[in-house]
């Protein structure tokens, strides 16, 4: 047993006859060959070459590799016990495969009551058929393994991105608190602690996911390796182990799920930061009823520190997380609404092309869709620098007397109304009426660059804050 422990199963096979070694001899080049195989080969070649590498052997009889012979003999004995070639019941040679019971039988078994009405076929036909069956399952496993590798890579990139987000948000937080250092030292450290805690929690979640998928990858690799090993076996041992291997391939292998809400909640940490401490710094606090959620933004969009201004710019590295919109140059606002009345004012500036409004949570974020209520959008926009449109199913052109620079969006969730008001003259630009059945989020698209010009940002206008003391 000590000798066999030094060899693996492939080490037991002669490279000349591909069978288990019988009296293996060790050549000077280091290769082992069955003694009879070597003698036959030398007589055929007329020279004392190694059948594997062609190296010339020294004169004289090569020595027998005794440890390998002992291991091969023991392996042959174990194999005979594990994969017998005769029927244990009738002591006849195993020649037939029963399709019904999926087992190898002899001719006597075939005529017996147990298998008489069963479908049976020769071993070579059965082996060819079953190998094709297992090979088909192997291809599916390979595809799933490839998906696991891809998902692991995405999660590792996302984990790295979380670190980048953490550093970026930390810099913003530090800059804000630097201006307020005299009053807000304790508040700054509290904020940083919250950010790092979220980083640790979400990084920990991804680390666990990556560990889990690594385990799945290991299990699938092991299964694939076992299947490939089985497929290399001869027909009889393959079919004798077929039932067990088939059972293993039927095991459920679930595809990795997308991880939602895993990115750092930047809106929580750096959005309208001063409002969180308004009691101490009320004179310089700005408050906006909503802000942009960068985790939903198309990768060309950049934001102000407090996430109240968005602008088209150079493409940035960002993971394709489930929340991110990639089908249009747009971003959703936060928070979302599932009840009540809400309003916010948007400075659309001098942009030539933009869209603002609301969208439901379940909109298609990865595939191109039309901006209309049937797809979950209630928006108006400006195109070509002078035309205003409501994105109804048939697209409605809006008559605008005075070009708006500020537009107020009024959402009444209960009544199913979205109203757009031109703050320049107080006129109603358009009203959508519908029935909302899920959370609604503010929607923004600042448009693309004009050639040779800087794109115009879209900004959420702050509201006045009045503090009263009693």
């Amino acid at each position: 047993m000590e000798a066999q422990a030094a060899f693996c199963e492939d080490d037991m096979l002669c490279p000349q006859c591909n069978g288990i070694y019988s009296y293996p001899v060790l050549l000077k080049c280091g290769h082992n060959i069955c003694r009879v195989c070597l003698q036959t080969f030398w007589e055929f070649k007329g020279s004392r070459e190694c059948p594997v590498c062609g190296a010339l052997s020294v004169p004289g009889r090569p020595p027998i590799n005794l440890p390998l012979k002992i291991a091969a003999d023991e392996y042959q004995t174990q194999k005979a016990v594990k994969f017998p070639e005769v029927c244990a019941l009738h002591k006849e040679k195993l020649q037939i495969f029963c399709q019904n019971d999926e087992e190898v039988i002899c001719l006597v078994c075939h005529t017996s009551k147990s298998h008489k009405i069963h479908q049976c076929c020769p071993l070579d036909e059965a082996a060819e058929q079953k190998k094709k069956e297992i090979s088909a399952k192997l291809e599916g496993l390979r595809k799933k393994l490839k998906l696991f590798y891809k998902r692991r890579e995405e999660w590792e990139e996302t984990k790295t991105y979380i670190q980048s987000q953490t550093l970026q948000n930390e810099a913003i937080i530090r800059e804000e608190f630097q201006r307020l250092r005299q009053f807000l030292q304790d508040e700054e450290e509290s904020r940083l602690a919250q950010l790092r805690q979220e980083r640790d929690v979400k990084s920990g979640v991804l680390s666990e996911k990556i560990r889990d998928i690594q385990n799945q990858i290991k299990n699938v690799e092991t299964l694939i390796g076992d299947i490939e090993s089985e497929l290399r076996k001869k027909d009889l041992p393959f079919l004798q182990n077929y039932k067990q291997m088939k059972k293993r391939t039927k095991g459920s292998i679930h595809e990795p799920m997308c991880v939602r809400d895993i990115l750092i909640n930047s809106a929580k940490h750096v959005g309208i930061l001063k409002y969180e401490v308004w009691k101490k710094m009320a004179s310089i606090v700005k408050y906006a009823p909503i802000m942009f959620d960068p985790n939903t933004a198309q990768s060309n969009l950049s934001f102000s520190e407090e996430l109240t201004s968005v602008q088209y710019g150079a493409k940035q590295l960002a993971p394709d997380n489930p929340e991110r919109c990639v089908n249009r140059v747009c971003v959703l606002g936060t928070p979302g609404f599932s009840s009540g009345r809400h309003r916010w004012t948007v400075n659309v500036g001098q942009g030539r092309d933009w869209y603002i409004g609301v969208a439901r949570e379940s909109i298609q974020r990865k595939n191109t869709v039309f901006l209309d209520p049937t797809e979950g959008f209630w928006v108006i926009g400006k195109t070509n620098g002078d035309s205003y449109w409501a994105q109804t199913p048939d697209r409605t052109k809006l008559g605008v007397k005075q070009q708006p620079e500020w537009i107020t969006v009024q959402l009444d969730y209960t009544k199913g109304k979205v109203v757009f008001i031109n703050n320049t003259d107080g006129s109603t630009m358009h009203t959508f009426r519908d029935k909302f059945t899920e959370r609604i989020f503010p929607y923004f698209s600042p448009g693309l660059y004009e050639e040779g010009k800087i794109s115009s940002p879209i900004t959420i206008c702050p509201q006045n804050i009045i503090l009263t003391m009693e």
Side-chain angles (χ1 to χ4, degrees):
M1 294 304 293
E2 293 180 359
Q4 185 177 350
F7 303 98
C8 66
E9 183 176 342
D10 290 340
D11 292 333
M12 305 298 174
L13 303 180
C14 171
Q16 183 68 7
C17 66
N18 204 34
I20 300 175
Y21 281 115
S22 175
Y23 288 96
V25 295
L26 178 62
L27 300 179
K28 182 180 179 181
C29 59
H31 292 116
N32 293 285
I33 310 291
C34 290
R35 185 169 62 184
V36 174
C37 293
L38 180 63
Q39 190 63 35
T40 303
F41 179 77
W42 282 356
E43 291 176 357
F44 174 77
K45 291 287 290 186
S47 63
R48 300 170 64 87
E49 297 179 6
C50 172
V52 179
C53 65
L56 292 177
S57 180
V58 297
R61 180 180 298 177
I64 293 177
N65 188 336
L66 187 58
L68 180 57
K69 179 184 182 303
I70 295 173
D73 291 344
E74 292 182 357
Y75 178 71
Q76 180 72 43
T77 302
Q78 293 174 4
K79 185 178 180 183
V81 174
K82 188 175 182 180
F83 301 109
E85 296 185 359
V86 296
C87 175
L89 184 61
H90 303 108
K91 307 305 180 183
E92 295 287 337
K93 186 177 181 180
L94 299 172
Q95 304 180 61
I96 301 174
F97 183 75
C98 176
Q99 299 281 11
N100 297 69
D101 294 333
E102 296 183 337
E103 62 182 18
V104 183
I105 62 176
C106 69
L107 290 174
V108 179
C109 291
H110 182 37
T111 59
S112 67
K113 183 179 180 181
S114 300
H115 298 279
K116 189 173 183 179
I117 62 173
H118 290 177
Q119 291 184 348
C120 300
C121 65
L123 294 184
D124 57 346
E125 293 182 12
E128 181 180 1
Q129 175 189 352
K130 298 307 180 183
K131 283 184 177 181
K132 288 181 179 179
E133 180 183 327
I134 294 296
S135 295
K137 296 180 182 296
L138 180 63
E139 186 61 29
L141 289 171
R142 287 187 177 126
K143 290 181 179 179
K144 287 191 175 181
L145 180 61
K146 185 177 180 180
L147 178 60
F148 281 133
Y149 276 124
K150 181 180 179 182
R151 190 54 52 81
R152 181 183 66 178
E153 182 180 354
E154 291 174 352
W155 286 348
E156 288 175 344
E157 290 176 353
T158 300
K159 184 178 178 181
T160 300
Y161 185 78
I162 287 177
Q163 305 302 321
S164 175
Q165 278 191 305
T166 301
L167 294 175
Q168 181 182 10
N169 293 336
E170 184 173 316
I172 294 174
I173 292 173
R174 288 190 179 281
E175 183 177 347
E176 286 291 330
F177 276 91
Q178 188 62 36
R179 300 189 184 106
L180 310 172
R181 185 65 64 188
Q182 183 176 352
F183 307 97
L184 306 173
Q185 185 67 41
D186 294 339
E187 181 70 13
E188 177 189 15
E189 294 304 323
S190 175
R191 284 275 173 166
L192 290 173
Q194 293 177 32
L195 172 63
R196 290 163 182 164
Q197 180 183 12
E198 183 176 1
R199 175 198 61 192
D200 293 339
V201 171
K202 292 186 174 180
S203 296
V205 170
L206 271 182
S207 294
E208 184 176 353
K209 291 285 185 182
I210 292 172
R211 284 194 299 271
D212 290 344
I213 201 171
Q214 186 64 46
N215 290 333
Q216 294 184 59
I217 288 172
K218 183 178 179 180
N219 292 336
V220 175
E221 286 178 332
T222 300
L223 179 55
I224 290 175
D226 292 345
I227 292 175
E228 290 174 339
S229 178
E230 286 295 321
L231 293 176
R232 289 194 298 269
K233 291 181 179 178
K234 294 185 177 181
D235 296 346
L236 179 58
F238 166 78
L239 292 172
Q240 288 172 326
N241 205 31
Y242 164 75
K243 187 182 296 184
Q244 179 183 358
M245 185 56 62
K246 179 182 177 182
K247 182 178 180 181
R248 290 181 64 189
T249 60
K250 287 183 178 180
S252 177
I253 300 177
H254 301 288
E255 295 184 0
M257 302 297 292
C258 293
V259 183
R260 301 186 66 86
D261 298 320
I262 193 61
L263 301 182
I264 296 296
N265 190 343
S266 301
K268 172 185 174 181
H269 294 289
V270 301
I272 56 171
L273 180 61
K274 299 184 185 67
Y275 179 70
E276 298 295 327
V277 290
W278 62 274
K279 291 181 178 180
K280 295 181 179 179
M281 305 298 294
S283 61
I284 60 173
V285 166
K286 294 180 181 179
Y287 171 74
I290 62 171
M291 68 204 83
F292 301 111
D293 183 356
N295 292 344
T296 68
Q298 194 269 348
S299 57
N300 283 90
L301 298 180
S302 58
F303 303 89
S304 62
E305 289 184 352
E306 291 197 335
L307 305 176
T308 56
S309 182
V310 61
Q311 188 172 21
Y312 182 90
K315 189 176 182 64
Q316 305 173 62
L317 292 177
D320 187 15
N321 50 295
E323 302 86 0
R324 192 171 306 282
C325 298
V326 298
N327 58 340
R328 292 180 179 274
V329 181
C330 64
V331 60
L332 299 183
T334 186
F337 308 109
S338 56
S339 63
R341 297 178 181 178
H342 311 275
R343 61 182 290 155
W344 56 92
T345 299
V346 182
N347 183 350
V348 295
Q350 303 299 317
R352 289 178 52 84
D353 298 276
W354 47 258
Y355 289 100
I356 62 171
V358 298
R360 65 187 178 208
E361 186 173 19
S362 63
I363 58 171
Q364 289 288 333
R365 306 187 187 205
K366 311 301 181 183
N367 303 315
T368 302
V369 293
F370 292 105
L371 289 178
D372 63 48
T374 60
E375 298 289 350
F377 299 88
W378 296 268
V379 302
I380 66 170
K382 181 182 181 182
T383 60
N384 300 323
D386 57 3
S387 300
Y388 295 87
W389 300 85
Q391 295 299 116
T392 58
D394 296 324
R395 203 163 181 245
T396 303
K397 189 169 185 177
L398 304 179
V400 177
K401 295 181 180 180
Q402 290 185 277
Q403 179 171 314
E405 189 171 350
W406 293 273
I407 297 176
T408 295
V409 182
Q410 295 181 342
L411 168 66
D412 190 328
Y413 189 98
T414 304
K415 293 184 178 181
K417 289 175 57 177
V418 184
V419 182
F420 298 86
I421 298 175
N422 183 348
N423 285 26
T424 303
D425 57 15
S427 62
T428 299
M429 301 178 68
H430 188 76
T431 299
F432 285 98
R433 299 180 184 274
D434 214 323
K435 183 178 180 179
F436 302 134
T437 58
E438 59 182 272
R439 275 207 301 176
I440 299 297
F441 289 85
Y443 177 90
F444 307 89
S445 177
L448 308 178
Y449 273 117
E450 293 182 64
E451 187 175 354
K453 297 183 179 180
I454 299 176
S455 63
S456 180
I458 287 181
T459 303
I460 307 298
C461 298
Q463 295 181 350
N464 294 328
I465 297 176
I466 301 175
L467 301 179
T468 57
M469 304 296 293
E470 294 183 358

